[in-house]
Amino acid sequence: MNTFYKNLSMWLVIGLTMILLFNLFNKPQTNSTSLTYSEFISSVESKAITRVVLNGDVISGTTQDGKPFQTIYPLSDTELIPMLRQTGVNIAVKEAQKDSWFMTIFVSWFPMLLLIGVWVFFMRQMQGGGKGGALSFGKTRAKLMEQGTNKVTFDDVAGIDEAKEELEEIIDFLKDPQKFTVLGGRIPKGVLLAGTPGTGKTLLAKAIAGEADVPFFTISGSDFVEMFVGVGASRVRDLFTQGKKNAPCIIFIDEIDAVGRHRGAGLGGGHDEREQTLNQLLVEMDGFESNEGVIIVAATNRPDVLDPALLRPGRFDRQVVVPVPDVGGRKKILEIYANKTKMAPGIDLEVLARGTPGFSGADLENLINEAALMAARTGAKEISLELLEKAKDKIMMGAERKSMIITDKEKEVTAYHEAGHALVAWLLPGTDPVHKVTIIPRGRALGLTMQLPVDEKYTHSKTFLENTICILFGGRVAEKIIFNEITTGAGNDLERATGLARKMVCEWGMSDELGPLTYGKKEEQIFLGREIAQHRDFSDDTARLIDKAVKDIINKAVVTVTQLLKDNRDILDKMTELLLEKETIMLSDIEKMIFELRPGQFPEAEAAQAKKTAQVAPEAVADTVVTPDVAADAVAEPESDEEVPEESAPSASPKDPTISQG
Ligand code: ADP
Ligand code: ZN
C-alpha cells in the first residue's frame, strides 16, 4: 500500500510539473499573424481591420480579408479606442482570464514550493518517518515470511549436525514457550551463527523457523545503514516492534558485522550513524524479555570484528559455529541435491565428496547445478560421473580454454613442467596422491597437476610441507633440467613455495636455527577488515636469519627435486610423451607407464595398484583435490596409496589443497 501511494504521489508531481512546463512554454498559440503595434495602427488607419477583441493588453481580431491577427498594445495609449471608433471597427472586450493571476503567483512560487517540499520530504526521512506515512524511510526493510509459508526444515540442511543440535532447543522453545518459562529457565535472546559464506547460515535460520512453524523476518545488516543519521536506529526500533507483534518469531539479521563492528574503530573519525544503529540494537535486545518469544538469529563471517557488547549475556550469548562441511558432510549435502536431479545410476558421491575439500554447501549445490546444466546442454538424459567431474574442475580451476593457441614448444615446456610436478608428487612418500595431470589450459593456468588427499587434514607435518615445496618446484626444475631454461610459468609455484617456507619459519616454528618462536605480528585493521600491516617484533639480525632459513628450506627442496628428476629422467620423458599425446592423464595411466618402464622397482606401489584394480574398476573413481596454479599448472593427487604423514604440525585450512600449477 505504501509503495502504491508513494508511486501515486510521484506520478502526480511529475504530471503537474509537465502541465506547468507545457503552460509556461506553450502560451496559447493560434495561427494568427502577430503584428507590431505600428503595423496594427496603420492597418486600422487604412481600414483593413473590421473587428478587434480587447483582452487585457492583447488585441486580437480579423482583417477585412478574414485573416486573424494578434498584437500587444501599450495600455497607456488612450487614443486607441477613439481611433477604432472613428474607423468603425467592431470592438469587443473580453474579461481578463480569471486564472491568470493564480497562474502567475503559482509560477513565481513554484521553485519555492518545490524546495519546501523537498525539505519536508527529507525531514520526515530523518525523523524516521510518520508511522504509516507514505514516505517512511525509518520503517524496517525486513522481509517477512509468514507462518505456514516456510517449507524449509532441518532435513534440508546437511553436514552441520553439531550446529543443528545446538539449535534444537531454540525450536523447542519457539514451539512451546510456556514450557520453558514455567521452569524459570532463560532462553537465549540471540544466536550468532558464525561461518564463512555459503555454509548454510541463512538456510539454518530458515530451517529453525520452518521447524517451529513461526514467522521469519530477514534483514541484512547493511539494510540498516542509510545516508541519513538516525534512520538505522529507527529501523531497528521498527524491526523489534514488528517482531513483537508477530511473536513467537525469528528475526534473522544477515551480515550483522555491517552494523555490529567495534565501536570507535575505523579510519577517519566517528561513524555516528552506524554506532547509533548498533546502540539501538543493543538497547532493543536488552529491552525485551526472551519469553516474549522473539529470537534474534544473526549471521556473520567475521565474529572477531563484532563489538564485544553484542556478545554479552542477554544479547547474542549463544554462538554457533557453522563450519565448512567435512567429507561426510559434503557427501550428505551432495545427496540432498543429487536427489533433486536425475543422476546416472551407480554414482559414488563419496568419491565426489572426497575430491571437494573446502567446498561449502553452496559450492556443492553449485557443482550439481553446473553438472545438470552441462547435461542439459549436451542433451544427456541424466547426469554422469564425467559431467560431475567436469563441473568440479570448472569450479575449482576455471573453464577449459580449448581455443587458446599454444605453440608446440610451449606445449612441450608445459608438459615437462606438469610431468615434473606429478613425478615428484608420485615419488615422494607421504604426499597426497596424484589424481590427474593435464596440459589443457584452464582459467589462467596452462596446465594442472591435481592431487587428491586421502583424508581431510587440518594440520600438516613438517615433512609434508617440505614435500609440498618439492612438488611445487618439480615443474621449474624439470624445465631447467630439460631445456636449461626457465619460463615465467613457474611464477605462481615459486610464490606459493616461498610463502609456505616463510610460514614454516615465522609462524610454525619449524626452523632449527630460529627455534619454536613466532616472528612478526599481524595487525588487523578492523575497519578495513583485513591484515594491512605486519608488525616486526624482531631485530634486523633476526630478519636476516629468517631470510636465510627460508632460503635454506627452498634450496634444500631444489637440490632434492633436481636429484629426484635426474635419477628418473626416463620416467619424466615418458610421462611428457604421454601427456603430449593424451593431454590429460590419470593416476592409473601414470602408474601403468611407470610399472612397464621399471618393472619391479616400485613393489609397494605396484602391489597397492594391483589390489585396487582387483577391488574396483580402475577408472570408476574420480576424486580430486586440485590446487591450480595461477601461472600455469596444478598438481592433483590420485587416490592410490594410503600413506599419510604421521606427525601433524601446523594448522592449514583444508581449503588449501595440493595443486601445483605450472
Ligand atoms: P550463508 O548464509 O552461510 O552464506 P546460505 O544459507 O545462503 O549460506 O547458503 C546458500 C545455499 O547453499 C543454500 O540456499 C543451500 O541451497 C546451500 N547450502 C549451504 N549449506 C548447506 C547445507 N549445509 N546443506 C544443504 N544446503 C546447503
Ligand atoms: Zn607449476
Side-chain angles (χ1 to χ4, degrees), residues 136-369:
S136 48
F137 265 59
K139 284 267 174 192
T140 169
R141 292 260 173 102
K143 279 188 260 75
L144 172 63
M145 223 181 202
E146 304 264 3
Q147 188 172 6
T149 53
N150 183 358
K151 296 276 181 280
V152 182
T153 69
F154 265 9
D155 291 338
D156 296 314
V157 189
I160 36 178
D161 295 338
E162 285 93 348
K164 270 157 75 173
E165 241 161 66
E166 284 193 68
L167 296 167
E168 291 287 350
E169 128 188 278
I170 308 272
I171 298 174
D172 291 343
F173 167 72
L174 286 169
K175 274 186 181 156
D176 186 5
Q178 258 69 38
K179 192 171 96 190
F180 282 79
T181 40
V182 163
L183 293 170
R186 200 176 57 84
I187 276 292
K189 291 178 187 174
V191 181
L192 184 70
L193 302 177
T196 48
T199 43
K201 298 181 292 296
T202 313
L203 192 69
L204 209 50
K206 239 185 227 172
I208 301 173
E211 286 280 337
D213 194 22
V214 295
F216 180 70
F217 286 94
T218 10
I219 189 162
S220 165
S222 53
D223 289 342
F224 291 119
V225 187
E226 268 298 337
M227 208 158 53
F228 310 107
V229 176
V231 175
S234 87
R235 282 187 184 160
V236 171
R237 233 174 289 132
D238 191 55
L239 177 67
F240 279 81
T241 316
Q242 295 281 325
K244 281 180 217 167
K245 248 190 253 165
N246 287 282
C249 73
I250 297 258
I251 296 178
F252 177 64
I253 306 176
D254 206 357
E255 287 167 61
I256 194 166
D257 39 310
V259 282
R261 284 182 179 226
H262 256 286
R263 280 167 292 184
L267 307 176
H271 272 251
D272 285 342
E273 162 62 356
R274 218 194 59 219
E275 292 190 4
Q276 254 191 36
T277 311
L278 176 56
N279 287 339
Q280 188 64 39
L281 189 66
L282 297 175
V283 168
E284 292 289 342
M285 288 199 77
D286 286 340
F288 76 93
E289 286 307 315
S290 53
N291 53 22
E292 286 178 57
V294 182
I295 291 192
I296 321 286
V297 180
T300 179
N301 54 355
R302 300 288 321 264
D304 52 321
V305 303
L306 292 182
D307 196 287
L310 265 179
L311 308 176
R312 275 212 293 270
R315 290 156 186 170
F316 292 103
D317 43 7
R318 180 73 51 102
Q319 292 177 41
V320 177
V321 176
V322 185
V324 176
D326 59 8
V327 190
R330 288 199 298 271
K331 188 177 170 208
K332 283 187 208 143
I333 296 174
L334 283 170
E335 272 163 8
I336 288 188
Y337 293 107
N339 283 339
K340 292 182 183 167
T341 52
K342 247 189 136 202
M343 290 278 162
I347 288 187
D348 187 1
L349 290 174
E350 166 97 37
V351 176
L352 200 57
R354 272 219 286 135
T356 44
F359 269 44
S360 68
D363 292 333
L364 293 170
E365 187 194 2
N366 184 26
L367 165 65
I368 302 264
N369 185 49

Side-chain angles (χ1 to χ4, degrees), residues 2 6 18 63 86 91 94-95 149 177 224 260 284 351 368 461 496 498 501 522 527 547 564 569 625 657:
N2 268 347
K6 217 161 158 182
M18 299 258 288
T63 54
Q86 248 173 35
I91 306 173
K94 238 201 193 155
E95 203 179 351
T149 53
F224 291 119
E284 292 289 342
V351 176
I368 302 264
S461 67
R496 286 176 49 204
T498 315
K522 276 179 222 110
F527 183 68
D547 289 342
L564 209 57
R569 173 81 192 253
V625 174

Side-chain angles (χ1 to χ4, degrees), residues 20 23-24 27 97-111 113:
L20 212 83
N23 271 336
L24 270 181
K27 276 269 160 105
Q97 260 174 17
K98 263 271 170 56
D99 59 356
S100 70
W101 68 266
F102 172 79
M103 232 15 211
T104 333
I105 292 183
F106 186 71
V107 165
S108 57
W109 277 86
F110 182 72
L113 288 176

